[in-house]
Amino acid sequence: MLSKACEYCIKAVVFLAQRSKEGKLSIVKEIAQAIDSPEAFTAKVLQQLVKGGFISSVKGVKGGFFIEEKTLQHLNLLQIVTAIDGRGLIDNCMLGLNQCSEVNPCPVHHLYKGIKADIVQLLNCSLVNDLTIEFSQKLSVLKN
Amino acid sequence: MLSKACEYCIKAVVFLAQRSKEGKLSIVKEIAQAIDSPEAFTAKVLQQLVKGGFISSVKGVKGGFFIEEKTLQHLNLLQIVTAIDGRGLIDNCMLGLNQCSEVNPCPVHHLYKGIKADIVQLLNCSLVNDLTIEFSQKLSVLKN
DNA sequence: CGCTTAAAGGACATACTTATCCTTATTAGA
DNA sequence: TCTAATAAGGATAAGTATGTCCTTTAAGCG
């Protein structure tokens, strides 16, 4: 469904959002620990998030990552998923047909289209800010 | 979502089912052509389907693959997907948590559980026999 | 300025998926 | 029995995802 890179990104962003609301920067080590991910690999995917403009970073002593308040207001999971994994999950046919559509459907097209729409809706309606609030209240976890 | 191997398997099975109802065996070359897949790799995944008991094969001249009538009656996509890709799609957390549940949910657990149930239902309710009927009537395609 | 800290970036390593090729076993038919 | 056709199986290659390591760049602080 989602790549490991994308899973780490989503979890990292939720954690970072919480920390940012507390006015704190987080270094890679803290993030990797909070989401139980390999540190070096996490650093790589965080770079992608910075390049995509989803999170911000500060180098050097007292540096780290954070999310700008105004970015957090509208940031949702669809933005992150498409930036990291591309539009495959959203666009692709379940059976991999290049041209799968209403007029040229694969055998499961009509059954799958509703599910795909639901996935897009889940991602699009999942505001990082909302997820973070739940996480702060310990109503959800980012690791076991 | 599904591996390439799994995509090929599903398409191969739908094609094979149609041919089997016509009383014909199909060789790898015909199958690969019908579903637009690489021949050698398709041969490999067909072997897995034979081992799993989903399809049957005959070696030698006039040999090929087919599906037994009684197998076809109850064969559905969930059986094929779990045999080829395992239970990951069905069991795994969207964010990859090892222990994601109602009492210990990831940030999207409650939103995702319905979608996962829908995916399982799609696969479980998709009888290969039914898909084949539609395919025979040219209401769906296996390649472009 | 020089030291320390931390992100950025590049190179490399590992694992898995996808794909190909060649050989072997099996079968039908001449 | 010999030959051709075809699945089965093993080895290998190519590609992608995942993960690690080391160097470079930037920033804060004494």
Side-chain angles (χ1 to χ4, degrees):
Chain A
M1 182 76 90
L2 300 179
S3 66
K4 281 286 164 195
C6 197
E7 290 176 6
Y8 297 153
C9 278
I10 292 173
K11 289 187 277 193
V13 162
V14 171
F15 173 73
L16 262 185
Q18 187 205 25
R19 298 269 297 175
S20 299
K21 286 200 210 176
E22 297 169 0
K24 295 176 188 161
L25 299 204
S26 309
I27 63 177
V28 174
K29 193 173 183 178
E30 293 172 318
I31 298 169
Q33 210 156 37
I35 70 176
D36 193 26
S37 63
E39 196 174 318
F41 189 65
T42 304
K44 288 282 186 239
V45 301
L46 289 173
Q47 279 180 37
Q48 290 185 260
L49 290 176
V50 171
K51 281 186 189 163
F54 304 114
I55 70 176
S56 306
S57 67
V58 177
K59 281 188 179 183
V61 180
K62 304 275 175 181
F65 297 89
F66 68 101
I67 304 181
E68 303 243 18
E69 179 62 24
K70 69 168 195 280
T71 303
L72 185 52
Q73 290 316 312
H74 57 78
L75 185 59
N76 66 44
L77 296 191
L78 186 59
Q79 296 174 282
I80 296 169
V81 170
T82 53
I84 305 300
D85 284 355
R87 296 188 48 87
L89 183 62
I90 295 158
D91 292 342
N92 291 357
C93 164
M94 192 176 195
L95 301 185
L97 295 199
N98 297 119
Q99 307 291 339
C100 181
S101 63
E102 290 295 302
V103 292
N104 220 37
C106 78
V108 296
H109 176 81
H110 300 301
L111 298 165
Y112 183 53
K113 65 181 174 186
I115 290 174
K116 191 154 73 177
D118 287 344
I119 293 171
V120 172
Q121 192 187 27
L122 180 157
L123 296 174
N124 197 43
C125 295
S126 290
L127 293 170
V128 171
N129 194 40
D130 295 341
L131 300 182
T132 300
I133 290 170
E134 280 196 12
F135 174 64
S136 298
Q137 297 171 348
K138 299 193 197 302
L139 296 176
S140 65
V141 299
L142 297 174
K143 67 168 179 177
N144 302 122
Chain B
M1 181 75 93
L2 300 178
S3 67
K4 280 286 165 197
C6 197
E7 291 176 6
Y8 298 153
C9 278
I10 292 173
K11 289 187 277 193
V13 162
V14 171
F15 173 73
L16 261 186
Q18 186 206 26
R19 299 268 297 175
S20 298
K21 285 200 211 175
E22 297 168 1
K24 295 175 188 161
L25 298 205
S26 310
I27 64 177
V28 175
K29 192 173 184 178
E30 293 172 318
I31 298 169
Q33 210 155 38
I35 69 176
D36 192 27
S37 63
E39 197 174 317
F41 189 65
T42 304
K44 287 283 186 240
V45 300
L46 289 173
Q47 280 180 38
Q48 289 185 260
L49 290 176
V50 171
K51 281 185 189 165
F54 305 114
I55 69 176
S56 306
S57 67
V58 177
K59 280 187 178 183
V61 181
K62 302 275 176 179
F65 297 89
F66 68 101
I67 303 181
E68 304 243 18
E69 178 61 26
K70 70 168 194 278
T71 304
L72 184 52
Q73 290 316 311
H74 57 78
L75 185 59
N76 65 45
L77 297 190
L78 186 60
Q79 296 174 281
I80 296 169
V81 170
T82 52
I84 305 300
D85 283 355
R87 295 188 49 85
L89 182 62
I90 295 158
D91 293 342
N92 290 358
C93 165
M94 192 175 195
L95 301 185
L97 295 200
N98 297 119
Q99 307 290 339
C100 181
S101 64
E102 290 295 302
V103 292
N104 220 37
C106 79
V108 296
H109 175 81
H110 301 301
L111 299 165
Y112 183 54
K113 64 181 174 185
I115 290 174
K116 191 154 74 178
D118 287 344
I119 292 171
V120 172
Q121 191 187 26
L122 180 156
L123 295 174
N124 198 43
C125 295
S126 290
L127 294 170
V128 171
N129 194 40
D130 296 341
L131 300 181
T132 301
I133 290 170
E134 281 197 9
F135 174 64
S136 298
Q137 297 172 349
K138 298 192 197 302
L139 296 177
S140 67
V141 299
L142 296 174
K143 67 169 179 179
N144 302 121

PDB file of all heavy atoms in Angstrom, chain A residues 10-24 26 55 65-69 72 75 128-133 135-136:
ATOM      1  N   ILE A  10       4.873   9.937   7.234  1.00  0.00           N
ATOM      2  CA  ILE A  10       3.600  10.276   7.880  1.00  0.00           C
ATOM      3  C   ILE A  10       3.773  10.298   9.396  1.00  0.00           C
ATOM      4  O   ILE A  10       3.357  11.250  10.074  1.00  0.00           O
ATOM      5  CB  ILE A  10       2.496   9.276   7.475  1.00  0.00           C
ATOM      6  CG1 ILE A  10       2.154   9.464   5.993  1.00  0.00           C
ATOM      7  CG2 ILE A  10       1.254   9.458   8.347  1.00  0.00           C
ATOM      8  CD1 ILE A  10       1.207   8.416   5.445  1.00  0.00           C
ATOM      9  N   LYS A  11       4.414   9.265   9.927  1.00  0.00           N
ATOM     10  CA  LYS A  11       4.608   9.210  11.374  1.00  0.00           C
ATOM     11  C   LYS A  11       5.514  10.351  11.852  1.00  0.00           C
ATOM     12  O   LYS A  11       5.240  10.979  12.883  1.00  0.00           O
ATOM     13  CB  LYS A  11       5.190   7.840  11.763  1.00  0.00           C
ATOM     14  CG  LYS A  11       4.164   6.720  11.616  1.00  0.00           C
ATOM     15  CD  LYS A  11       4.669   5.390  12.153  1.00  0.00           C
ATOM     16  CE  LYS A  11       5.527   4.659  11.141  1.00  0.00           C
ATOM     17  NZ  LYS A  11       5.767   3.241  11.539  1.00  0.00           N
ATOM     18  N   ALA A  12       6.559  10.621  11.064  1.00  0.00           N
ATOM     19  CA  ALA A  12       7.470  11.700  11.432  1.00  0.00           C
ATOM     20  C   ALA A  12       6.749  13.038  11.459  1.00  0.00           C
ATOM     21  O   ALA A  12       6.954  13.859  12.365  1.00  0.00           O
ATOM     22  CB  ALA A  12       8.638  11.761  10.449  1.00  0.00           C
ATOM     23  N   VAL A  13       5.886  13.257  10.495  1.00  0.00           N
ATOM     24  CA  VAL A  13       5.178  14.529  10.403  1.00  0.00           C
ATOM     25  C   VAL A  13       4.212  14.718  11.574  1.00  0.00           C
ATOM     26  O   VAL A  13       4.107  15.815  12.126  1.00  0.00           O
ATOM     27  CB  VAL A  13       4.446  14.644   9.044  1.00  0.00           C
ATOM     28  CG1 VAL A  13       3.375  15.710   9.097  1.00  0.00           C
ATOM     29  CG2 VAL A  13       5.454  14.955   7.937  1.00  0.00           C
ATOM     30  N   VAL A  14       3.532  13.641  11.955  1.00  0.00           N
ATOM     31  CA  VAL A  14       2.616  13.741  13.097  1.00  0.00           C
ATOM     32  C   VAL A  14       3.402  14.072  14.365  1.00  0.00           C
ATOM     33  O   VAL A  14       3.016  14.950  15.144  1.00  0.00           O
ATOM     34  CB  VAL A  14       1.801  12.443  13.276  1.00  0.00           C
ATOM     35  CG1 VAL A  14       1.025  12.471  14.595  1.00  0.00           C
ATOM     36  CG2 VAL A  14       0.847  12.241  12.108  1.00  0.00           C
ATOM     37  N   PHE A  15       4.513  13.383  14.541  1.00  0.00           N
ATOM     38  CA  PHE A  15       5.347  13.651  15.720  1.00  0.00           C
ATOM     39  C   PHE A  15       5.895  15.080  15.688  1.00  0.00           C
ATOM     40  O   PHE A  15       5.812  15.817  16.685  1.00  0.00           O
ATOM     41  CB  PHE A  15       6.497  12.644  15.768  1.00  0.00           C
ATOM     42  CG  PHE A  15       7.513  12.935  16.839  1.00  0.00           C
ATOM     43  CD1 PHE A  15       7.217  12.718  18.178  1.00  0.00           C
ATOM     44  CD2 PHE A  15       8.763  13.456  16.501  1.00  0.00           C
ATOM     45  CE1 PHE A  15       8.159  12.993  19.172  1.00  0.00           C
ATOM     46  CE2 PHE A  15       9.697  13.737  17.492  1.00  0.00           C
ATOM     47  CZ  PHE A  15       9.403  13.509  18.827  1.00  0.00           C
ATOM     48  N   LEU A  16       6.420  15.457  14.525  1.00  0.00           N
ATOM     49  CA  LEU A  16       7.002  16.787  14.378  1.00  0.00           C
ATOM     50  C   LEU A  16       5.976  17.886  14.623  1.00  0.00           C
ATOM     51  O   LEU A  16       6.295  18.924  15.217  1.00  0.00           O
ATOM     52  CB  LEU A  16       7.562  16.965  12.966  1.00  0.00           C
ATOM     53  CG  LEU A  16       9.050  16.758  12.755  1.00  0.00           C
ATOM     54  CD1 LEU A  16       9.415  17.111  11.328  1.00  0.00           C
ATOM     55  CD2 LEU A  16       9.848  17.612  13.735  1.00  0.00           C
ATOM     56  N   ALA A  17       4.770  17.642  14.170  1.00  0.00           N
ATOM     57  CA  ALA A  17       3.720  18.650  14.338  1.00  0.00           C
ATOM     58  C   ALA A  17       3.459  18.889  15.821  1.00  0.00           C
ATOM     59  O   ALA A  17       3.349  20.038  16.272  1.00  0.00           O
ATOM     60  CB  ALA A  17       2.446  18.192  13.636  1.00  0.00           C
ATOM     61  N   GLN A  18       3.399  17.799  16.566  1.00  0.00           N
ATOM     62  CA  GLN A  18       3.172  17.936  18.010  1.00  0.00           C
ATOM     63  C   GLN A  18       4.301  18.742  18.660  1.00  0.00           C
ATOM     64  O   GLN A  18       4.051  19.681  19.416  1.00  0.00           O
ATOM     65  CB  GLN A  18       3.069  16.553  18.656  1.00  0.00           C
ATOM     66  CG  GLN A  18       2.660  16.635  20.122  1.00  0.00           C
ATOM     67  CD  GLN A  18       3.127  15.424  20.922  1.00  0.00           C
ATOM     68  OE1 GLN A  18       4.103  14.766  20.565  1.00  0.00           O
ATOM     69  NE2 GLN A  18       2.421  15.134  21.989  1.00  0.00           N
ATOM     70  N   ARG A  19       5.524  18.365  18.338  1.00  0.00           N
ATOM     71  CA  ARG A  19       6.680  19.050  18.912  1.00  0.00           C
ATOM     72  C   ARG A  19       6.719  20.512  18.489  1.00  0.00           C
ATOM     73  O   ARG A  19       7.078  21.394  19.297  1.00  0.00           O
ATOM     74  CB  ARG A  19       7.959  18.345  18.450  1.00  0.00           C
ATOM     75  CG  ARG A  19       8.035  16.905  18.914  1.00  0.00           C
ATOM     76  CD  ARG A  19       8.732  16.770  20.224  1.00  0.00           C
ATOM     77  NE  ARG A  19      10.120  17.206  20.095  1.00  0.00           N
ATOM     78  CZ  ARG A  19      10.972  17.294  21.108  1.00  0.00           C
ATOM     79  NH1 ARG A  19      10.563  16.961  22.332  1.00  0.00           N
ATOM     80  NH2 ARG A  19      12.190  17.700  20.917  1.00  0.00           N
ATOM     81  N   SER A  20       6.360  20.765  17.258  1.00  0.00           N
ATOM     82  CA  SER A  20       6.382  22.144  16.755  1.00  0.00           C
ATOM     83  C   SER A  20       5.377  23.019  17.502  1.00  0.00           C
ATOM     84  O   SER A  20       5.637  24.185  17.773  1.00  0.00           O
ATOM     85  CB  SER A  20       6.093  22.164  15.246  1.00  0.00           C
ATOM     86  OG  SER A  20       7.084  21.443  14.540  1.00  0.00           O
ATOM     87  N   LYS A  21       4.222  22.424  17.822  1.00  0.00           N
ATOM     88  CA  LYS A  21       3.219  23.177  18.574  1.00  0.00           C
ATOM     89  C   LYS A  21       3.727  23.534  19.959  1.00  0.00           C
ATOM     90  O   LYS A  21       3.302  24.536  20.545  1.00  0.00           O
ATOM     91  CB  LYS A  21       1.932  22.353  18.704  1.00  0.00           C
ATOM     92  CG  LYS A  21       1.125  22.276  17.423  1.00  0.00           C
ATOM     93  CD  LYS A  21      -0.303  21.890  17.760  1.00  0.00           C
ATOM     94  CE  LYS A  21      -0.941  21.107  16.633  1.00  0.00           C
ATOM     95  NZ  LYS A  21      -2.305  20.649  16.985  1.00  0.00           N
ATOM     96  N   GLU A  22       4.642  22.703  20.463  1.00  0.00           N
ATOM     97  CA  GLU A  22       5.267  22.987  21.763  1.00  0.00           C
ATOM     98  C   GLU A  22       6.432  23.959  21.594  1.00  0.00           C
ATOM     99  O   GLU A  22       7.154  24.237  22.557  1.00  0.00           O
ATOM    100  CB  GLU A  22       5.777  21.677  22.398  1.00  0.00           C
ATOM    101  CG  GLU A  22       4.685  20.679  22.721  1.00  0.00           C
ATOM    102  CD  GLU A  22       5.268  19.299  23.083  1.00  0.00           C
ATOM    103  OE1 GLU A  22       6.509  19.149  23.082  1.00  0.00           O
ATOM    104  OE2 GLU A  22       4.469  18.379  23.348  1.00  0.00           O
ATOM    105  N   GLY A  23       6.654  24.385  20.335  1.00  0.00           N
ATOM    106  CA  GLY A  23       7.737  25.332  20.084  1.00  0.00           C
ATOM    107  C   GLY A  23       9.118  24.713  20.069  1.00  0.00           C
ATOM    108  O   GLY A  23      10.130  25.414  20.199  1.00  0.00           O
ATOM    109  N   LYS A  24       9.168  23.403  19.902  1.00  0.00           N
ATOM    110  CA  LYS A  24      10.461  22.715  19.931  1.00  0.00           C
ATOM    111  C   LYS A  24      10.884  22.211  18.545  1.00  0.00           C
ATOM    112  O   LYS A  24      10.049  21.778  17.764  1.00  0.00           O
ATOM    113  CB  LYS A  24      10.397  21.518  20.877  1.00  0.00           C
ATOM    114  CG  LYS A  24      10.183  21.883  22.337  1.00  0.00           C
ATOM    115  CD  LYS A  24      10.048  20.604  23.158  1.00  0.00           C
ATOM    116  CE  LYS A  24       9.632  20.910  24.596  1.00  0.00           C
ATOM    117  NZ  LYS A  24       9.077  19.712  25.269  1.00  0.00           N
ATOM    118  N   SER A  26      13.107  19.233  16.559  1.00  0.00           N
ATOM    119  CA  SER A  26      13.453  17.841  16.843  1.00  0.00           C
ATOM    120  C   SER A  26      14.573  17.404  15.921  1.00  0.00           C
ATOM    121  O   SER A  26      14.527  17.659  14.725  1.00  0.00           O
ATOM    122  CB  SER A  26      12.234  16.945  16.617  1.00  0.00           C
ATOM    123  OG  SER A  26      11.100  17.457  17.301  1.00  0.00           O
ATOM    124  N   ILE A  55       8.006  20.307   5.598  1.00  0.00           N
ATOM    125  CA  ILE A  55       8.610  20.596   6.903  1.00  0.00           C
ATOM    126  C   ILE A  55       9.800  21.529   6.677  1.00  0.00           C
ATOM    127  O   ILE A  55      10.218  21.739   5.543  1.00  0.00           O
ATOM    128  CB  ILE A  55       9.062  19.309   7.635  1.00  0.00           C
ATOM    129  CG1 ILE A  55      10.270  18.677   6.937  1.00  0.00           C
ATOM    130  CG2 ILE A  55       7.924  18.309   7.733  1.00  0.00           C
ATOM    131  CD1 ILE A  55      10.829  17.451   7.662  1.00  0.00           C
ATOM    132  N   PHE A  65      14.386  19.741  12.986  1.00  0.00           N
ATOM    133  CA  PHE A  65      13.264  19.878  12.060  1.00  0.00           C
ATOM    134  C   PHE A  65      12.040  20.411  12.798  1.00  0.00           C
ATOM    135  O   PHE A  65      11.866  20.207  13.992  1.00  0.00           O
ATOM    136  CB  PHE A  65      12.927  18.519  11.442  1.00  0.00           C
ATOM    137  CG  PHE A  65      14.031  17.939  10.603  1.00  0.00           C
ATOM    138  CD1 PHE A  65      15.006  17.125  11.177  1.00  0.00           C
ATOM    139  CD2 PHE A  65      14.107  18.200   9.246  1.00  0.00           C
ATOM    140  CE1 PHE A  65      16.022  16.579  10.404  1.00  0.00           C
ATOM    141  CE2 PHE A  65      15.123  17.667   8.463  1.00  0.00           C
ATOM    142  CZ  PHE A  65      16.086  16.854   9.047  1.00  0.00           C
ATOM    143  N   PHE A  66      11.192  21.103  12.054  1.00  0.00           N
ATOM    144  CA  PHE A  66       9.931  21.573  12.619  1.00  0.00           C
ATOM    145  C   PHE A  66       8.950  21.839  11.482  1.00  0.00           C
ATOM    146  O   PHE A  66       9.316  21.789  10.310  1.00  0.00           O
ATOM    147  CB  PHE A  66      10.155  22.837  13.454  1.00  0.00           C
ATOM    148  CG  PHE A  66      10.552  24.027  12.633  1.00  0.00           C
ATOM    149  CD1 PHE A  66       9.619  25.012  12.304  1.00  0.00           C
ATOM    150  CD2 PHE A  66      11.872  24.172  12.181  1.00  0.00           C
ATOM    151  CE1 PHE A  66       9.994  26.117  11.534  1.00  0.00           C
ATOM    152  CE2 PHE A  66      12.248  25.268  11.420  1.00  0.00           C
ATOM    153  CZ  PHE A  66      11.305  26.248  11.089  1.00  0.00           C
ATOM    154  N   ILE A  67       7.709  22.096  11.836  1.00  0.00           N
ATOM    155  CA  ILE A  67       6.697  22.429  10.839  1.00  0.00           C
ATOM    156  C   ILE A  67       6.159  23.821  11.133  1.00  0.00           C
ATOM    157  O   ILE A  67       5.779  24.122  12.265  1.00  0.00           O
ATOM    158  CB  ILE A  67       5.531  21.423  10.857  1.00  0.00           C
ATOM    159  CG1 ILE A  67       6.063  19.997  10.647  1.00  0.00           C
ATOM    160  CG2 ILE A  67       4.502  21.773   9.785  1.00  0.00           C
ATOM    161  CD1 ILE A  67       4.990  18.937  10.616  1.00  0.00           C
ATOM    162  N   GLU A  68       6.130  24.645  10.127  1.00  0.00           N
ATOM    163  CA  GLU A  68       5.622  26.010  10.289  1.00  0.00           C
ATOM    164  C   GLU A  68       4.123  25.957  10.597  1.00  0.00           C
ATOM    165  O   GLU A  68       3.389  25.147  10.026  1.00  0.00           O
ATOM    166  CB  GLU A  68       5.820  26.800   8.982  1.00  0.00           C
ATOM    167  CG  GLU A  68       7.266  26.836   8.523  1.00  0.00           C
ATOM    168  CD  GLU A  68       7.828  28.258   8.508  1.00  0.00           C
ATOM    169  OE1 GLU A  68       7.228  29.138   9.162  1.00  0.00           O
ATOM    170  OE2 GLU A  68       8.857  28.456   7.840  1.00  0.00           O
ATOM    171  N   GLU A  69       3.706  26.853  11.470  1.00  0.00           N
ATOM    172  CA  GLU A  69       2.304  26.894  11.882  1.00  0.00           C
ATOM    173  C   GLU A  69       1.355  26.989  10.686  1.00  0.00           C
ATOM    174  O   GLU A  69       0.380  26.237  10.579  1.00  0.00           O
ATOM    175  CB  GLU A  69       2.084  28.093  12.820  1.00  0.00           C
ATOM    176  CG  GLU A  69       0.653  28.282  13.309  1.00  0.00           C
ATOM    177  CD  GLU A  69       0.142  27.110  14.146  1.00  0.00           C
ATOM    178  OE1 GLU A  69       0.976  26.393  14.729  1.00  0.00           O
ATOM    179  OE2 GLU A  69      -1.089  26.896  14.173  1.00  0.00           O
ATOM    180  N   LEU A  72       1.153  23.733   8.745  1.00  0.00           N
ATOM    181  CA  LEU A  72       0.406  22.720   9.490  1.00  0.00           C
ATOM    182  C   LEU A  72      -1.103  22.871   9.316  1.00  0.00           C
ATOM    183  O   LEU A  72      -1.842  21.878   9.307  1.00  0.00           O
ATOM    184  CB  LEU A  72       0.782  22.819  10.978  1.00  0.00           C
ATOM    185  CG  LEU A  72       0.217  21.774  11.922  1.00  0.00           C
ATOM    186  CD1 LEU A  72       0.488  20.372  11.411  1.00  0.00           C
ATOM    187  CD2 LEU A  72       0.799  21.967  13.314  1.00  0.00           C
ATOM    188  N   LEU A  75      -1.909  21.105   5.913  1.00  0.00           N
ATOM    189  CA  LEU A  75      -1.184  19.891   5.498  1.00  0.00           C
ATOM    190  C   LEU A  75      -2.011  18.625   5.718  1.00  0.00           C
ATOM    191  O   LEU A  75      -2.502  18.377   6.813  1.00  0.00           O
ATOM    192  CB  LEU A  75       0.125  19.792   6.293  1.00  0.00           C
ATOM    193  CG  LEU A  75       1.089  18.663   5.922  1.00  0.00           C
ATOM    194  CD1 LEU A  75       1.518  18.750   4.472  1.00  0.00           C
ATOM    195  CD2 LEU A  75       2.304  18.693   6.844  1.00  0.00           C
ATOM    196  N   VAL A 128      -3.027  16.689   9.065  1.00  0.00           N
ATOM    197  CA  VAL A 128      -1.976  16.353  10.027  1.00  0.00           C
ATOM    198  C   VAL A 128      -2.290  16.992  11.381  1.00  0.00           C
ATOM    199  O   VAL A 128      -2.077  16.379  12.429  1.00  0.00           O
ATOM    200  CB  VAL A 128      -0.601  16.814   9.506  1.00  0.00           C
ATOM    201  CG1 VAL A 128       0.460  16.660  10.588  1.00  0.00           C
ATOM    202  CG2 VAL A 128      -0.209  16.022   8.270  1.00  0.00           C
ATOM    203  N   ASN A 129      -2.811  18.179  11.332  1.00  0.00           N
ATOM    204  CA  ASN A 129      -3.149  18.881  12.576  1.00  0.00           C
ATOM    205  C   ASN A 129      -4.144  18.085  13.426  1.00  0.00           C
ATOM    206  O   ASN A 129      -3.968  17.942  14.636  1.00  0.00           O
ATOM    207  CB  ASN A 129      -3.731  20.256  12.244  1.00  0.00           C
ATOM    208  CG  ASN A 129      -3.774  21.155  13.467  1.00  0.00           C
ATOM    209  OD1 ASN A 129      -2.841  21.167  14.282  1.00  0.00           O
ATOM    210  ND2 ASN A 129      -4.861  21.902  13.613  1.00  0.00           N
ATOM    211  N   ASP A 130      -5.157  17.532  12.786  1.00  0.00           N
ATOM    212  CA  ASP A 130      -6.153  16.740  13.504  1.00  0.00           C
ATOM    213  C   ASP A 130      -5.532  15.453  14.060  1.00  0.00           C
ATOM    214  O   ASP A 130      -5.783  15.065  15.201  1.00  0.00           O
ATOM    215  CB  ASP A 130      -7.321  16.380  12.583  1.00  0.00           C
ATOM    216  CG  ASP A 130      -8.087  17.619  12.130  1.00  0.00           C
ATOM    217  OD1 ASP A 130      -7.954  18.673  12.783  1.00  0.00           O
ATOM    218  OD2 ASP A 130      -8.797  17.534  11.109  1.00  0.00           O
ATOM    219  N   LEU A 131      -4.728  14.796  13.244  1.00  0.00           N
ATOM    220  CA  LEU A 131      -4.083  13.558  13.689  1.00  0.00           C
ATOM    221  C   LEU A 131      -3.192  13.835  14.898  1.00  0.00           C
ATOM    222  O   LEU A 131      -3.092  13.029  15.824  1.00  0.00           O
ATOM    223  CB  LEU A 131      -3.248  12.949  12.564  1.00  0.00           C
ATOM    224  CG  LEU A 131      -3.979  12.564  11.271  1.00  0.00           C
ATOM    225  CD1 LEU A 131      -3.005  11.932  10.284  1.00  0.00           C
ATOM    226  CD2 LEU A 131      -5.137  11.619  11.556  1.00  0.00           C
ATOM    227  N   THR A 132      -2.549  14.998  14.859  1.00  0.00           N
ATOM    228  CA  THR A 132      -1.643  15.365  15.943  1.00  0.00           C
ATOM    229  C   THR A 132      -2.384  15.596  17.257  1.00  0.00           C
ATOM    230  O   THR A 132      -1.901  15.227  18.329  1.00  0.00           O
ATOM    231  CB  THR A 132      -0.852  16.630  15.558  1.00  0.00           C
ATOM    232  OG1 THR A 132      -0.108  16.354  14.367  1.00  0.00           O
ATOM    233  CG2 THR A 132       0.092  17.043  16.661  1.00  0.00           C
ATOM    234  N   ILE A 133      -3.559  16.203  17.146  1.00  0.00           N
ATOM    235  CA  ILE A 133      -4.356  16.436  18.358  1.00  0.00           C
ATOM    236  C   ILE A 133      -4.690  15.109  19.033  1.00  0.00           C
ATOM    237  O   ILE A 133      -4.497  14.941  20.232  1.00  0.00           O
ATOM    238  CB  ILE A 133      -5.649  17.217  18.011  1.00  0.00           C
ATOM    239  CG1 ILE A 133      -5.283  18.651  17.617  1.00  0.00           C
ATOM    240  CG2 ILE A 133      -6.619  17.209  19.189  1.00  0.00           C
ATOM    241  CD1 ILE A 133      -6.425  19.454  17.025  1.00  0.00           C
ATOM    242  N   PHE A 135      -3.083  12.320  18.666  1.00  0.00           N
ATOM    243  CA  PHE A 135      -1.843  11.730  19.159  1.00  0.00           C
ATOM    244  C   PHE A 135      -1.427  12.356  20.488  1.00  0.00           C
ATOM    245  O   PHE A 135      -0.993  11.656  21.415  1.00  0.00           O
ATOM    246  CB  PHE A 135      -0.731  11.903  18.111  1.00  0.00           C
ATOM    247  CG  PHE A 135       0.628  11.464  18.574  1.00  0.00           C
ATOM    248  CD1 PHE A 135       0.885  10.131  18.881  1.00  0.00           C
ATOM    249  CD2 PHE A 135       1.660  12.388  18.705  1.00  0.00           C
ATOM    250  CE1 PHE A 135       2.147   9.728  19.311  1.00  0.00           C
ATOM    251  CE2 PHE A 135       2.922  11.988  19.134  1.00  0.00           C
ATOM    252  CZ  PHE A 135       3.166  10.664  19.437  1.00  0.00           C
ATOM    253  N   SER A 136      -1.599  13.653  20.603  1.00  0.00           N
ATOM    254  CA  SER A 136      -1.251  14.360  21.840  1.00  0.00           C
ATOM    255  C   SER A 136      -2.091  13.866  23.015  1.00  0.00           C
ATOM    256  O   SER A 136      -1.612  13.802  24.141  1.00  0.00           O
ATOM    257  CB  SER A 136      -1.476  15.864  21.658  1.00  0.00           C
ATOM    258  OG  SER A 136      -0.650  16.366  20.649  1.00  0.00           O
TER     259      SER A 136
END
